[in-house]
Structures are given as C-alpha cells and as structure tokens.
C-alpha cells in the first residue's frame, strides 16, 4: 500500500455507541450479505483523520441478538469483504481478577472457550482438505502492543494481561462456575469472545480484544448483579475505551496485513 488513502480500514466490533469517537466522520452505511448469511447489522463506514474505520454492532442495532445467536461467521466475513484486515473486538465482561473491577479496561492476552453449539469455523462442508490453524496466541501481538501504548499515552487505568473465559450465555454464571473459571486461570468472563477470535484467525486477520469490565463476576461481590450496576460501569468506563481507540486507530491502520 503506497499511501495513506490506500490503507486498509480498521474494523471495530461492538456497540453502536462507539461510532461517537472524537473526530470521527461517518461516511456511509452498507447492507451486505455473505456466503454465511447476513451480519448482525449494516456496516457503518467512517473516517478518523486519514484512517478508514468500519463499525459493526455485534448484537444488532437495536441491541437484540443474544450472544449464542450472533452470526459470527457472517460478521467476520462481511468485514473481510469490506477490506478490513485488523479487527478490534470491544467486549463487556465480568471481572474475576482482584484488579479487574467495574469500569476497568483490560487488553487480554489469552482466551479459554467454554461455549458450545456455535458455528465456529469456516472450514466445513465440501472441503478439499482438512485445515488446522495455529491458535497458540489468539490475540495479535502487534495490535495488542498498539492498544497498550495508546492506553499508557492516554493515562487510562487498564490491565495489559488477562485470560478471557468465553461462556455460552445468555444467562450470567453461577458463583460455583466462576470459582471453577478462576481455578482454570481465567481473569475475565464474557459471552462473545469466541468464536469471533478464531474466525478472524482463519481469515488471516489481525484480531485484538479491548474489554471493559462492567460488573464483578458472580460471587465476587456481596450482592447480585443488576443491570443498573452494569449500565453505571459502562457509563464510567466507556470514555477510556473510546480514548484508547482514538489514540490507536492510525497505528492500527498502519499495520501490514498478515499473510493468510
């Protein structure tokens, strides 16, 4: 790619509120379909400085698709077809680690998949051969380093490590399940981290998670989890998420595409 205007767009998967980044100009919206069906919502295209950005609302707009029914394959393929080669998955999660309480930002480095029954690969059907991709490091190292540097530069309280436990949902976990996840080494718990990460890897895309803790996981506080608590944490912590995205977008766009 020879100049700024030819850089690939950066994809952001998350809530619709992320389209209010400072300095972002929304330039269009595209309805699309893929061999795997339609994505959760139209692709919203924008321009942040010299960097093109494509937003996709994971749960639809309005928010209506539960985590176990998200068409993850269509979402990733739609972004890929739009030219995206670097994807940021913004996730609301529960905190297990003692340092990861409500409104805290986490850039995790590992994931454990506890989901079941979700279509989780592009490699199925009438294949010429079986393909096994390496998934040792589920989050792209260069993209993670870019987000970490942006968080430090904006003085956003955050953790640059964490094991994300991807659970089935849509219900929240029991206290006993959280104790099990903690014994397994998990620091965070969410419902949308998989198969999103592995599908991006199958397409040869750089993928990184930017997580916002919106509640203590079950049994980690002295009260039950309420939507009021979650909404308050989102309001408090989303400014940090947006600040990191604003500061990192140009550098993420400058990353060279992985060979797929």
């Amino acid at each position: 790619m020879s100049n700024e205007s030819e850089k690939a767009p950066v994809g952001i998967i998350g809530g619709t509120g992320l389209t209010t980044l400072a300095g972002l100009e929304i330039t269009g919206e595209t309805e699309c379909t893929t061999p795997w069906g339609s994505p959760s919502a139209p692709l919203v295209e924008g321009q942040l400085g010299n960097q093109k950005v494509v937003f996709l609302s994971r749960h639809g707009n309005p928010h209506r698709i539960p985590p176990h029914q998200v068409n993850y394959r269509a979402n990733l393929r739609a972004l890929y077809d739009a030219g995206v080669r670097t994807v940021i998955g913004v996730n609301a999660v529960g905190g297990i680690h003692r340092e990861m309480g409500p409104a805290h930002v986490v850039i995790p480095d590992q994931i454990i998949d506890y989901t079941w029954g979700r279509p989780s690969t592009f490699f199925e059907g009438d294949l010429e051969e079986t393909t096994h991709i390496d998934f040792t490091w589920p989050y792209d190292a260069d993209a993670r380093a870019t987000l970490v540097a942006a968080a430090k530069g904006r003085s956003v309280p955050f953790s640059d490590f964490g094991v994300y436990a991807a659970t089935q949902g849509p219900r929240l976990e029991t206290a006993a399940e959280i104790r099990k996840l903690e014994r397994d080494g998990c620091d965070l718990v969410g419902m949308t981290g998989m198969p999103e990460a592995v599908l991006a890897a199958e397409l040869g895309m750089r993928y990184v998670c930017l997580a916002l803790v919106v509640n203590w996981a079950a049994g980690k506080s002295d009260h039950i989890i309420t939507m009021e608590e979650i909404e308050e944490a989102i309001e408090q912590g989303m400014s940090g998420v947006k600040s990191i995205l604003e500061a990192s977008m140009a550098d993420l766009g400058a990353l060279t595409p992985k060979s797929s």
Side-chain angles (χ1 to χ4, degrees), residues 190-208:
M191 302 174 189
T192 55
M194 286 290 284
E196 200 169 272
V198 72
L199 292 170
E202 288 188 350
L203 290 170
M205 303 166 84
R206 297 180 183 272
Y207 181 89
V208 65

Side-chain angles (χ1 to χ4, degrees), residues 142-206:
D142 294 328
R144 282 193 74 253
T146 300
L147 291 186
V148 168
K152 291 178 178 177
R154 291 292 180 96
S155 299
V156 176
F158 79 106
S159 296
D160 63 356
F161 68 93
V163 178
Y164 181 126
T167 58
Q168 180 70 0
R171 68 167 178 84
L172 297 173
E173 300 73 31
T174 68
E177 287 170 333
I178 294 300
R179 290 195 297 270
K180 178 186 184 301
L181 297 182
E182 189 168 24
R183 290 194 299 270
D184 285 351
C186 299
D187 302 300
L188 306 166
V189 59
M191 302 174 189
T192 55
M194 286 290 284
E196 200 169 272
V198 72
L199 292 170
E202 288 188 350
L203 290 170
M205 303 166 84
R206 297 180 183 272

Side-chain angles (χ1 to χ4, degrees), residues 31-161:
E31 296 267 4
C32 59
T33 189
T34 77
W36 307 98
S38 298
S40 298
L43 302 183
V44 177
E45 294 123 8
Q47 191 84 18
L48 188 64
N50 291 322
Q51 180 56 51
K52 295 179 180 179
V53 183
V54 179
F55 296 89
L56 177 58
S57 296
R58 185 186 286 114
H59 297 282
N61 185 15
H63 188 292
R64 69 190 188 284
I65 306 172
H68 65 296
Q69 292 186 326
V70 170
N71 191 339
Y72 295 95
R73 290 190 293 190
N75 286 354
L76 271 297
R77 179 62 185 267
L79 289 172
Y80 185 87
D81 289 347
V84 170
R85 296 297 180 268
T86 298
V87 179
I88 307 166
V90 178
N91 300 87
V93 298
I96 299 175
H97 192 284
R98 63 182 179 277
E99 295 177 8
M100 299 177 185
H104 191 69
V105 174
V106 184
I107 304 169
D109 58 339
Q110 277 294 336
I111 193 165
I112 299 178
D113 188 8
Y114 299 93
T115 65
W116 49 269
R118 302 181 182 189
S120 58
T121 181
F122 293 110
F123 300 127
E124 64 180 30
D126 187 16
L127 302 176
E128 294 183 1
E129 61 180 359
T130 300
T131 303
H132 304 281
I133 65 160
D134 179 80
F135 202 52
T136 305
W137 306 107
Y139 302 119
D140 182 76
D142 294 328
R144 282 193 74 253
T146 300
L147 291 186
V148 168
K152 291 178 178 177
R154 291 292 180 96
S155 299
V156 176
F158 79 106
S159 296
D160 63 356
F161 68 93

Side-chain angles (χ1 to χ4, degrees), residues 25-30 43-46:
E25 176 190 0
I26 299 298
T27 57
E29 186 173 295
T30 302
L43 302 183
V44 177
E45 294 123 8

